């Protein structure tokens, strides 16, 4: 079956699984970004300062960094059905915490914990990869990611209206609380409706859990290097909370820095424990994979998804302040950026399936760099329609790039797909923390230029990417080895 023959109007077999899974992802994004279109009402209700509002934006993506790593491991170990269902149920709780907040501190705790639900993306990557053949995988993963990502646009388009329907100063609370109810209900629906694999298929699990497996000494060193930015992003968040809004004291910040350093050392020890055999008994070539591939994808997702998270969070405010718009209109116009997910991300996967992974990524990465450079030029003198068009054009390259990245991820090492997706996904959140911190320090124009520059750096790293090989070896529970087609 080719990628062209996907019958998306069906609700049977693998198509049923795809639809149920993208809806799960849609709900995670709908809940995760339930604050963005309501920020002005939330700010007024809780008497927040501008710095406090920007801090909430950073907190919203912070916990997702470690959460995606952990959820990726749990997915590989326990399967996507159970992991996704529990994630939705547990993720509903911070929605209620945030909806009931009476001050900045309570809102900050709710926003930080809600970042946990943002880890749902990596679960579906593994689920879809189990149900679709490699020649359809880019398209299927693109549909999953693109239609699921649309949850943030749906939040921007619907939640201000829901808040107005309930009315008063507490309208936003009802709107956000409803997103938690939806997540909780769907957690049950998903668990009762899916299976981890098609009937008769084997669900491959990692040999060990607790750290990613690598297959060479050089890859082990590169893995440790690539872990550093994830800890650095959490340190950056700590600095922002201590120096920007004084949410935590200098002493607490110092203790957190020390804790992050200690945690990195413990992480390094665990990673060595998982991979110690490669130093004395390297695996046979047929069992190896190149971690360099993962590192390149991490950097690309930093620039693509990282920028999307940041821009989705700030674009309603940007349009409101630049063109003096009311919150509802600003939210609707800003949703055009995320609206592109419906077609852009699937298009990235489809183009990647047809024309090759690396060439597609090169074109799309160059396009997103140009797109953000164009957005840096937007000011109040621009016609509003042209500013929205520029945002949508930029969004196409950003989200198609995300689809193309995750057309590659499942092809690297099948039984590690959850962990690879978790790390790559976490880099998206590292990018978001970085970009939103930059936003808190500079103008909107400089913010867009910084994203442009990092995209160009990602383009350079992409030159090192190698097209996935035609097959990969997998070890079955009985010890036998089979070759899995990924071409």
């Amino acid at each position: 079956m080719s990628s062209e023959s996907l019958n998306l109007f069906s609700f049977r077999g693998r198509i049923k699984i795809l639809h149920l899974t993208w809806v799960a992802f849609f709900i995670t994004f709908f809940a995760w970004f339930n604050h963005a279109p309501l920020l002005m009402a939330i700010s007024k209700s809780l008497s927040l300062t501008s710095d406090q509002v920007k801090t909430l934006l950073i907190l919203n993506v912070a916990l997702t960094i470690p959460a995606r790593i952990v959820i990726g491991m749990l997915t590989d170990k326990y399967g996507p059905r159970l992991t996704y269902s529990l994630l939705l149920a547990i993720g509903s709780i911070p929605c209620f915490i945030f909806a009931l907040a009476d001050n900045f501190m309570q809102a900050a705790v709710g926003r930080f914990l809600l970042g946990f639900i943002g880890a749902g993306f990596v679960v579906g990557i593994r689920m879809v990869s189990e149900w679709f053949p490699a020649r359809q995988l880019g398209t299927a993963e693109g549909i999953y990611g693109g239609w699921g990502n649309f949850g943030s646009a749906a939040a921007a388009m619907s939640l201000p209206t829901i808040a107005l329907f309930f009315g008063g100063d507490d309208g936003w609370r009802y709107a956000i609380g409803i997103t938690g109810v939806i997540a909780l209900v769907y957690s049950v629906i998903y668990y009762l409706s899916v299976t981890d694999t098609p009937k008769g298929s084997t669900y491959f699990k990692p040999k060990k859990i607790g750290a990613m497996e690598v297959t060479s000494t050089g890859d082990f060193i590169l893995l440790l290097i690539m872990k550093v930015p994830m800890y650095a992003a959490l340190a950056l968040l700590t600095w922002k909370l201590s120096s920007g809004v004084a949410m935590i004291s200098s002493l607490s910040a110092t203790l957190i820095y020390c804790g992050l350093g200690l945690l990195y050392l413990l992480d390094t020890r665990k990673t060595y424990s998982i991979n110690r055999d490669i130093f004395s008994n390297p695996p046979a070539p047929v069992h190896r994979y190149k971690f360099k591939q993962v590192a390149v994808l991490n950097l690309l997702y930093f620039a693509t998804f990282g920028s999307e998270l940041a821009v989705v969070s700030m674009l309603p405010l940007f349009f409101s302040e630049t063109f003096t718009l009311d919150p509802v209109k600003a939210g609707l116009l800003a949703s055009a950026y995320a609206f592109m997910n419906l077609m852009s991300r699937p298009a990235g996967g489809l183009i990647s399936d047809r024309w090759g992974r690396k060439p597609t990524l090169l074109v799309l990465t160059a396009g997103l760099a140009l797109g953000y450079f164009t957005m840096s030029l937007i000011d109040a003198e621009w016609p509003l329609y042209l500013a929205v068009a520029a945002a949508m054009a930029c969004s196409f390259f950003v989200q198609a790039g995300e689809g193309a990245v995750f057309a590659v991820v499942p092809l690297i090492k099948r039984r590690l797909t959850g962990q690879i997706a978790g790390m790559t996904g976490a880099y998206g959140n590292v990018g978001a923390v970085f970009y939103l911190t930059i936003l808190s320090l500079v103008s909107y124009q400089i913010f867009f230029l910084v994203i442009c520059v990092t995209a160009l750096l990602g383009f350079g790293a992409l030159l090192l990417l190698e097209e996935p090989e035609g097959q990969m070896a997998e070890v079955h529970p009985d010890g036998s080895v089979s070759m899995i087609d990924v071409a």
Side-chain angles (χ1 to χ4, degrees), residues 301-316:
Y301 215 60
F302 179 102
T304 54
F305 189 63
S307 67
E308 181 188 348
L309 288 181
V311 173
V312 164
S313 297
M314 56 72 71
L315 205 56

Side-chain angles (χ1 to χ4, degrees), residues 84-99:
Y84 226 151
S85 300
L86 288 176
L87 181 70
L88 284 164
I90 296 171
S92 69
I93 298 173
C95 292
F96 304 135
I97 293 174
F98 190 80

Side-chain angles (χ1 to χ4, degrees), residues 8 72 86 155 157 199 218 272-273 295 342 354 359 423 449:
L8 296 177
L86 288 176
M157 290 187 290
K199 186 177 181 180
Y272 173 78
S273 175
L342 280 176
R354 290 186 174 182
M423 187 174 195
L449 281 176

Side-chain angles (χ1 to χ4, degrees), residues 293 357-358 407-408 411-412 465-471 486-487:
Q293 307 286 75
R357 316 299 182 187
K358 185 173 181 176
V408 180
L411 304 182
I412 295 176
L465 183 73
E466 300 175 23
E467 290 278 352
E469 297 179 1
Q471 291 182 323
V486 300

Side-chain angles (χ1 to χ4, degrees), residues 308-363:
E308 181 188 348
L309 288 181
V311 173
V312 164
S313 297
M314 56 72 71
L315 205 56
L317 278 178
F318 172 71
F319 278 131
S320 177
E321 294 179 9
T322 303
F323 298 101
T324 318
L325 304 175
D326 66 79
V328 173
K329 187 174 182 179
L332 287 173
L333 291 176
S335 70
Y337 180 93
F339 182 85
M340 294 296 291
N341 264 307
L342 280 176
M343 297 304 299
S344 300
R345 193 156 182 162
L350 178 61
I351 295 169
S352 183
D353 282 345
R354 290 186 174 182
W355 302 105
R357 316 299 182 187
K358 185 173 181 176
T360 300
L361 281 168
L362 284 168
V363 172

